[in-house]
Amino acid sequence: MYCPACGFRNSEGASFCARCGASLLVEQAEQDEAQTTISYMPGEEEPVAPHAHDLLPEGPSLVIRSGGGRAGETYALMGARTTIGRHPDSTIFLDDVTVSRNHAVIEREGAACFITDEGSLNGTYVNRHRVERHLLTDGDELQIGKYKLTFITQ
C-alpha cells in the first residue's frame, strides 16, 4: 500500500505511513479520486520521431559522446581542414585543461578523413590507441583530453 501523502510503499494492512505518519485508512471513494494514472492510447496524430542518423548532417561528422556536459553536440566536417583544441579559434572548441590549445586536426583527402595529433601533451586516441596520424573509419571512437567523440560517415 502506497502512502497518499508521500508515496512511500508500506506493508499491507498498515494504518499509518512508516515514513511520514499520514493515515493510510482512506475510504475507497477517496482512493478512486486520488488516482493519478490515466490510460492513453497513442493515436495516428502522434509525430514519428526521426531516426538519429536522419538528424546528422550530410557527409562525415563528429559527435561528442561524453565530456564537459556536451554529449550529443555534432560537428560536420565540411572543410578540407578541421582544427580541434582549446584555442578559441578552433573549429571544434573543447574548453578543458586536458585538451591542448592546438590538439589535433582532421584533414579531408577526397572521401577519406585523417586525424593528426598536433603535438598535444595528453595525446590523441582512436579506439583507445594513441595515434600520430590515422585514417578514420565509420564508428571510430576518438578521445581528446576528457572528451570522447564518435566519427560518423553518411
Side-chain angles (χ1 to χ4, degrees), residues 55-69:
L55 300 175
L56 293 172
E58 288 294 319
S61 59
L62 284 178
V63 178
I64 296 178
R65 288 192 15 243
S66 66

Side-chain angles (χ1 to χ4, degrees), residues 100 102-105 116-124 130-132:
S100 296
N102 299 307
H103 198 102
V105 64
T116 305
D117 185 78
E118 296 281 282
S120 65
L121 181 64
N122 291 322
T124 300
R130 191 170 183 156
V131 298
E132 294 300 317

Side-chain angles (χ1 to χ4, degrees), residues 1 24-35:
M1 172 178 278
L24 299 177
L25 302 174
V26 180
E27 292 184 27
Q28 185 63 35
E30 290 177 15
Q31 285 183 353
D32 291 343
E33 289 178 18
Q35 294 295 323

Side-chain angles (χ1 to χ4, degrees), residues 17-133:
C17 177
R19 179 185 288 163
C20 71
S23 175
L24 299 177
L25 302 174
V26 180
E27 292 184 27
Q28 185 63 35
E30 290 177 15
Q31 285 183 353
D32 291 343
E33 289 178 18
Q35 294 295 323
T36 58
T37 303
I38 299 173
S39 296
Y40 175 74
M41 296 299 292
E44 295 175 10
E45 72 280 354
E46 294 273 327
V48 177
H51 191 272
H53 280 291
D54 296 337
L55 300 175
L56 293 172
E58 288 294 319
S61 59
L62 284 178
V63 178
I64 296 178
R65 288 192 15 243
S66 66
R70 295 176 54 187
E73 286 185 25
T74 304
Y75 297 92
L77 304 175
M78 293 301 187
R81 189 172 157 85
T82 302
T83 57
I84 304 170
R86 196 166 32 94
H87 193 283
D89 293 336
S90 296
T91 311
I92 301 175
F93 174 60
L94 301 176
D95 190 19
D96 188 75
V97 295
T98 60
V99 179
S100 296
R101 289 178 63 76
N102 299 307
H103 198 102
V105 64
I106 295 178
E107 297 169 306
R108 291 185 68 173
E109 296 177 10
C113 290
F114 290 88
I115 188 163
T116 305
D117 185 78
E118 296 281 282
S120 65
L121 181 64
N122 291 322
T124 300
Y125 293 81
V126 177
N127 301 324
R128 298 187 178 158
H129 297 285
R130 191 170 183 156
V131 298
E132 294 300 317
R133 181 172 166 87

Side-chain angles (χ1 to χ4, degrees), residues 113 126-127 134-142 151-153:
C113 290
V126 177
N127 301 324
H134 184 81
L135 171 64
L136 295 173
T137 59
D138 191 44
D140 278 348
E141 178 188 273
L142 283 67
F151 176 76
I152 298 174
T153 59

